[in-house]
Amino acid sequence: VSMLALASALRRTDFSVEYALRSQRVDKQVEAARKANARHIVVLDPRADRVSPVRVIGGAREDEHFQDIEAFITWASSTTRIAT
């Protein structure tokens, strides 16, 4: 799973995505996302234990962990829908 693959998959489902173009520490990226008022911050860690390489940091809730992009997109789609 690559950052570009994740960004592309999210953009195909109408999400707005930003990511660092140059190497940058994760804490700096999280800080920038918070300053931009991001609702959720997605951390893709290819070094993770393969059980949950996708982690979502958001709001006051605990972090969410996902095994793959598809599981994350399914969760994100259901989380961000606005009731009409």
Side-chain angles (χ1 to χ4, degrees), residues 6 10 42 54 56 66-77:
L6 179 57
L10 289 170
V42 179
V54 181
V56 178
F66 300 93
Q67 295 177 346
D68 54 44
I69 290 173
E70 291 78 18
F72 164 70
I73 290 174
T74 299
W75 172 85
S77 294

Side-chain angles (χ1 to χ4, degrees), residues 19-33 41-44 47 55 57:
Y19 57 93
L21 295 175
R22 66 189 194 308
S23 183
Q24 189 178 35
R25 289 189 352 233
V26 172
D27 62 329
K28 292 292 184 183
Q29 293 179 46
V30 169
E31 181 182 334
I41 301 163
V42 179
V43 177
L44 179 65
R47 297 167 297 154
R55 177 172 56 114
I57 304 167

